[in-house]
């Protein structure tokens, strides 16, 4: 049976909130903050850690939201920009979901035996598919600790 690791994106490994005026740009339906957000980790190290899980049969996925109150056209632009960002920085992710803001992430995951890595506590609390990792702490170390138990 397949297992998966699903990562949230914004505030988990993409520093959206570190982009100057990010909120004003999102309200103005400008997707630029998603495109220019800096990685929060050494992405080669994160990809390598996730590769270790992939070698043990895990699917690597991303479940991310569009902007709150975004129009259909804006949400489509955000999906496009996020997919480009992921292709550049997290190419190991093969299952990518960029869904409407607020969509319960446990309902999006294709693989139910999975780990969610997310910076928002409500998302972790609602996750009913397995383990969660608090992305407000070093996710590479937390993944390493799980890997050692496999």
């Amino acid at each position: 049976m397949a297992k998966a690791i699903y990562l949230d994106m914004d505030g988990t490994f993409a520093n959206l909130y570190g982009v100057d005026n990010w909120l004003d740009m999102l309200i103005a339906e400008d997707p630029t903050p998603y495109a220019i957000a800096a990685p929060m980790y050494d992405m080669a190290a994160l990809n390598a850690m996730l590769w270790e899980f992939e070698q043990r049969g895990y699917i690597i996925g991303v479940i991310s939201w569009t902007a709150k109150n975004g129009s259909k056209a804006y949400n489509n632009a955000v999906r496009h920009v996020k997919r480009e960002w992921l292709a550049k920085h997290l190419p190991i992710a093969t299952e990518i979901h960029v869904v409407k803001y607020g969509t319960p992430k446990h309902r999006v995951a294709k693989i139910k035996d999975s780990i969610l890595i997310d910076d928002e506590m409500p998302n972790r609390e609602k996750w009913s598919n397995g383990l969660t990792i608090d992305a407000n702490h070093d996710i590479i170390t937390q993944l390493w600790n799980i890997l050692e138990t496999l």
Side-chain angles (χ1 to χ4, degrees), residues 65-113:
W65 289 341
T66 57
K68 187 175 183 179
N69 301 318
S71 68
K72 185 175 181 177
Y74 181 54
N75 287 345
N76 286 337
V78 168
R79 284 181 184 96
H80 176 76
V81 168
K82 284 190 173 197
R83 286 182 181 279
E84 286 183 340
W85 196 99
L86 289 166
K88 179 178 179 183
H89 297 289
L90 198 74
I92 196 165
T94 57
E95 184 185 325
I96 299 170
H97 306 276
V98 183
V99 297
K100 185 176 179 182
Y101 182 90
T103 301
K105 294 183 177 184
H106 66 278
R107 292 188 185 156
V108 177
K110 288 184 179 179
I111 299 171
K112 299 306 176 191
D113 186 4

Side-chain angles (χ1 to χ4, degrees), residues 9-70:
M9 190 170 171
D10 307 318
T12 295
F13 62 87
N15 194 8
L16 172 70
Y17 311 116
V19 174
D20 289 339
N21 301 313
W22 68 272
L23 184 55
D24 291 336
M25 286 189 268
L26 268 55
I27 291 168
E29 297 205 341
D30 178 354
T32 302
Y34 297 111
I36 65 171
M40 296 171 67
Y41 288 91
D42 173 337
M43 295 306 287
L46 181 56
N47 277 283
M49 173 56 66
L50 293 170
W51 180 85
E52 293 291 339
F53 279 88
E54 188 177 66
Q55 296 308 299
R56 288 163 175 81
Y58 282 75
I59 303 297
I60 308 302
V62 172
I63 303 174
S64 184
W65 289 341
T66 57
K68 187 175 183 179
N69 301 318

